[in-house]
Amino acid sequence: MDKTGFETQLLHTPFEKEDAYHSLSMPVYNTAAYEFDTAEAMEEAFCGRTTGHAYSRITNPTVQYFEKRIQAVTGALSVTALNSGMAAISNVFFALAKAGTNIVTSAHLFGNTYSFLKSTLGAFGVEVRFCDLTKPAAVREQIDENTCAVFLEIITNPQLEVADLKTLSDIAHRHGVPLIADTTVVPFHVFHASEFGVDIEVISSTKYISGGATSLGGVILDYGKFDWTHSKKLHQLAEQVGMSAFTAKLRKEIHRNLGAYMTPQVAYMQTLGLETMEIRYSRQAVSCNRLAQELQLLPQVESVNYTALETNPFYQISTSQFGSYPGAMLTFDLPSREVCFRFMNQLKLVRRATNLFDNKTLAIHPASTIYGTFTEEQRQRMDISQKTIRLSVGLEDVNDLLEDICESLKSIAPL
Ligand SMILES: *Cc1c(COP(=O)(O)O)cnc(C)c1O
C-alpha cells in the first residue's frame, strides 16, 4: 500500500501467468480439474511441492487472482476466499479451536456467528465465553491457558459498539492468544486491521466487495505476525512452518475438508466489485454520515446510533480507528415496534431487505427478522431493541433518501 494508491495497485495487480490471448480481465476458469503432462508433474502438484492447480475445491486461477489482489493492497501473508462470510468465519475457527479450548468474545455478534460459536462449535466441546470487550478487565478475567482466540466484530451490528483494538490485542498477545476480527463493516482501504494488532481478519465479501450484492463470498486474511508456537492447536505445526502455521492449517487441511472454496464465477464478480469499492464506499459513507446528522433533527426519531456522531459514546475510539466515516450503516430508534413497522411499510425508495452495503439503501427491523427466532431474553442480552431500525446506505442521491425517510415518518406520526 506504500508505493501506489490503493485503487492503482488493485487495478494493476498482474495475473500469475500471462493469458494466452492477453485478456485484460482475468478469464473465468470454469473447470473442476486440471490436466498434467506427466505422472511426475502430477505427483509434485498433489504432494504440494509445486504450486500448480489440481482441483478447484482447493485452488482455482480466477479465485487465486481475486485473493492476490486483496493480498497486494493489504499486505497480508495469505488471503483465502470462501463462498460466504459464514464459510470464512467457520473455516477460521475450525483451524484454531479444538475440544477443551475456549473462545473469548462478545454476545454482540452477527446472528449466525453467535449461533455458529455457541451451537455448532459448542457441540464439539469448544467453550464460548461472552464478555464486554470494551472493558479490558472483563477480557483479562476470561482468558486462560485454554483460550484459543479473542474474537470480535470491529463495529458490532446492530448495537454499533466499538472496542479498543490496540488494548485488546495487547491483552490477547500478552497471553499468547491471537486476535481475530470480523471487519466486514469498514473496508480495508479505510481500516488497516494489522496496524491495530489484528492477527486474522475475516470479511463477508457479500457486502462492500461484491460490488452491489452480486454474490455471496467471504475472505480470510492472515497477516503472518502471530507466533503460533503459543497456540494450543497449532504449536506443533508452528515448530515446522513458523509464522505461516495458521495459513498452512487452513490451506492444507481445513478449507479442503470443509469444501466451501469460492467459485470462479463469484471470484470474477467480486474482482470487479473490488475495482469500484473505494469509490462506492466514499459515496455511501459520506451519505450515511449526512443521514445520521439529519435524522437526529427529526422529532419522531428518539435516537440515532452512528459512531461518528460527536455525542456517540464510541466517538473517540471509533474516529481513531476508522476515521470520520465508520461504515455506511446506522440505526435509529422510533417510539415502538408498531411505529417501526408502520415506518417500514411507508418507505417508497428505501428497500425492505436484509444485507449490508448493497448499492441500494436497505432498511430492516432487526428484532423481528435477523433476531426474530431468538427468545426475548436472548435479544435483551444482545441489546436488540424492538424500537430499532437499521439502515444500510446505498448510492442513491442522499437528498432523495432523506426525503423518503422524512415523508415516511411524517405520514405515520404527524406532529
Ligand atoms: C453479513 C455478515 C456476515 C456473514 O456473511 P455472509 O456472507 O452472509 O455469510 C458476518 N459478519 C458480518 C459482520 C456480516 O455483516
Side-chain angles (χ1 to χ4, degrees):
M1 240 176 300
D2 30 19
K3 293 195 306 291
T4 46
F6 173 84
E7 190 65 59
T8 313
Q9 194 168 2
L10 188 70
L11 286 167
H12 299 286
T13 306
F15 304 155
E16 190 76 27
K17 279 190 182 170
E18 199 179 324
D19 177 64
Y21 302 100
H22 303 287
S23 164
L24 259 177
S25 298
M26 182 61 175
V28 181
Y29 286 96
N30 270 325
T31 182
Y34 306 81
E35 191 181 6
F36 292 86
D37 288 340
T38 63
E40 288 78 8
M42 212 165 174
E43 182 188 21
E44 293 293 302
F46 275 72
C47 298
R49 292 193 287 269
T50 53
T51 54
H53 303 281
Y55 193 61
S56 286
R57 173 162 38 71
I58 299 165
T59 58
N60 171 284
T62 312
V63 183
Q64 204 166 56
Y65 182 63
F66 172 67
E67 293 170 336
K68 198 176 163 207
R69 273 192 162 185
I70 295 178
Q71 193 180 6
V73 293
T74 58
L77 168 78
S78 78
V79 177
T80 303
L82 285 312
N83 245 332
S84 69
M86 284 317 302
I89 290 166
S90 50
N91 268 264
V92 164
F93 287 107
F94 279 119
L96 286 177
K98 63 175 186 176
T101 62
N102 65 71
I103 297 160
V104 173
T105 187
S106 156
H108 295 169
L109 289 175
F110 178 73
N112 289 115
T113 304
Y114 180 92
S115 163
F116 169 74
L117 294 177
K118 187 89 186 136
S119 307
T120 312
L121 276 190
F124 289 92
V126 178
E127 186 194 346
V128 187
R129 298 182 174 178
F130 297 111
C131 68
D132 183 348
L133 296 179
T134 66
K135 302 219 159 59
V139 181
R140 265 187 228 105
E141 209 168 280
Q142 295 297 329
I143 297 182
D144 64 17
E145 71 281 4
N146 292 319
T147 302
C148 67
V150 172
F151 174 72
L152 86 165
E153 293 170 12
I154 54 168
I155 303 180
T156 72
N157 164 16
Q159 307 85 2
L160 308 193
E161 178 184 276
V162 180
D164 181 333
L165 290 160
K166 279 206 168 118
T167 303
L168 261 190
S169 61
D170 282 349
I171 296 171
H173 294 162
R174 224 172 293 135
H175 289 82
V177 173
L179 180 66
I180 319 295
D182 177 337
T183 66
T184 301
V185 290
V186 186
F188 42 64
H189 68 275
V190 174
F191 172 62
H192 305 149
S194 177
E195 291 170 15
F196 292 86
V198 172
D199 300 296
I200 306 291
E201 181 174 10
V202 57
I203 304 167
S204 165
S205 58
T206 313
K207 313 296 164 57
Y208 297 117
I209 295 175
S210 75
T214 61
S215 48
L216 272 90
V219 284
I220 301 169
L221 283 71
D222 175 2
Y223 284 98
K225 291 190 177 162
F226 187 73
D227 181 359
W228 299 99
T229 55
H230 301 299
S231 161
K232 274 265 167 246
K233 188 168 180 182
L234 302 179
H235 62 98
Q236 273 167 339
L237 193 56
E239 301 293 345
Q240 298 159 22
V241 302
M243 306 296 263
S244 64
F246 173 84
T247 289
K249 184 77 175 171
L250 179 70
R251 300 292 312 214
K252 296 205 163 113
E253 178 193 326
I254 304 298
H255 109 86
R256 305 176 174 201
N257 294 354
L258 293 180
Y261 197 50
M262 187 174 272
T263 55
Q265 298 94 327
V266 168
Y268 178 76
M269 285 188 275
Q270 301 215 345
T271 299
L272 277 184
L274 263 182
E275 293 187 352
T276 56
M277 180 169 76
E278 187 182 32
I279 190 163
R280 282 183 285 109
Y281 184 75
S282 62
R283 178 158 182 147
Q284 287 172 271
V286 169
S287 293
C288 186
N289 191 312
R290 162 96 191 278
L291 286 178
Q293 311 279 353
E294 300 279 353
L295 277 164
Q296 287 191 110
L297 309 174
L298 301 178
Q300 300 92 341
V301 174
E302 287 191 349
S303 61
V304 180
N305 195 355
Y306 178 63
T307 62
L309 294 176
E310 282 176 41
T311 48
N312 190 283
F314 299 107
Y315 171 74
Q316 228 132 29
I317 188 67
S318 171
T319 309
S320 72
Q321 294 180 159
F322 317 120
S324 305
Y325 301 99
M329 164 179 73
L330 61 82
T331 71
F332 57 95
D333 280 13
L334 296 177
S336 67
R337 170 191 162 100
E338 288 64 38
V339 175
C340 287
F341 273 47
R342 276 191 282 149
F343 166 74
M344 295 271 301
N345 291 340
Q346 286 299 321
L347 291 167
K348 299 196 171 51
L349 185 63
V350 175
R351 308 299 182 94
R352 288 172 288 273
T354 188
N355 200 13
L356 291 172
F357 320 130
D358 193 330
N359 295 339
K360 303 180 191 79
T361 297
L362 313 176
I364 192 166
H365 178 254
S368 64
T369 54
I370 301 167
Y371 300 93
T373 58
F374 287 49
T375 65
E376 192 54 41
E377 194 230 317
Q378 278 174 319
R379 275 195 292 265
Q380 273 172 15
R381 200 161 357 112
M382 297 175 81
D383 265 332
I384 308 296
S385 162
Q386 294 287 350
K387 293 160 62 160
T388 305
I389 298 277
R390 184 185 85 187
L391 207 61
S392 164
V393 181
L395 294 171
E396 299 92 339
D397 187 312
V398 66
N399 293 317
D400 295 333
L401 291 172
L402 195 58
E403 187 181 318
D404 190 30
I405 292 167
C406 288
E407 288 304 312
S408 302
L409 283 172
K410 266 192 224 148
S411 71
I412 53 150
L415 285 170

